[in-house]
Amino acid sequence: GCAPSGFIQKSKHTYLSAGCDLIELRHDGQTVGVLIGAPEDWSSYYVRMFAMRAEYQRPGLTRRFVRECVFEPLARAGIERVVAETSPANIAMSHLFTELRFRVTGNVLSDRWGPLVRYTKFLAPACEAEFLRKFGGGAPCRADTSDKEDMP
């Protein structure tokens, strides 16, 4: 691969610190999850990266973190959708997006990342209805399951 120069590394750091949000989930004084995201436009929020420590990767806990720390605050701020992309080979993220009621809204083939599937979680019901009206329903979203799992 091609190694980024010092200038590119510094530019990346500047962009991530000035143009992105870092949402950290902590438990017992330790970071157990992190999400990096940024506004994509005036009504969309793009999730650049999301990770949870292995021992905290339980569906109920992950859904609660995303709902309470991402979806609810963004919806209150008037954001209509959350978008993210992942490799079709990343079964765990694809499964999580399905559980969180994201819809597949596109795909791209990138020279840097290879094939990516674009997912959208509509926070505004009117936006989702318009998407479905324009582009068809496809398979219905899987029902969200309960969040009964607690912290370890």
Side-chain angles (χ1 to χ4, degrees):
C2 127
S5 68
F7 173 77
I8 294 297
Q9 290 287 9
K10 183 177 179 193
S11 297
K12 181 179 177 182
H13 175 75
T14 301
Y15 168 74
L16 289 173
S17 60
C20 292
D21 300 318
L22 171 66
I23 302 170
E24 179 184 29
L25 179 63
R26 295 182 59 81
H27 181 248
D28 288 340
Q30 295 184 19
T31 300
V32 299
V34 65
L35 181 142
I36 298 173
E40 184 175 62
D41 59 36
W42 60 90
S43 63
S44 303
Y45 190 83
Y46 182 72
V47 175
R48 299 189 61 80
M49 193 274 297
F50 175 67
M52 297 280 287
R53 285 181 47 178
E55 60 269 30
Y56 289 84
Q57 291 179 7
R58 289 186 303 223
L61 180 61
T62 302
R63 283 192 305 270
R64 181 177 171 200
F65 170 58
V66 172
R67 190 175 50 253
E68 292 179 10
C69 299
V70 181
F71 295 165
E72 291 173 4
L74 291 174
R76 283 193 303 271
I79 299 299
E80 297 173 344
R81 68 190 59 76
V82 175
V83 295
E85 295 168 330
T86 194
S87 165
N90 190 338
I91 303 302
M93 283 307 294
S94 296
H95 184 72
L96 176 63
F97 289 145
T98 299
E99 285 187 345
L100 291 169
R101 302 181 57 86
F102 278 73
R103 293 191 178 270
V104 173
T105 54
N107 59 58
V108 66
L109 182 59
S110 146
D111 66 314
R112 291 180 68 201
W113 310 111
L116 297 171
V117 178
R118 185 171 180 89
Y119 290 88
T120 302
K121 165 68 174 177
F122 292 96
L123 302 178
C127 292
E128 184 168 28
E130 182 65 10
F131 171 80
L132 295 174
R133 186 189 68 73
K134 286 181 179 176
F135 304 110
C141 288
R142 181 176 158 186
D144 193 11
T145 55
S146 66
D147 299 330
K148 295 184 179 178
E149 296 183 47
D150 294 322
M151 296 278 198

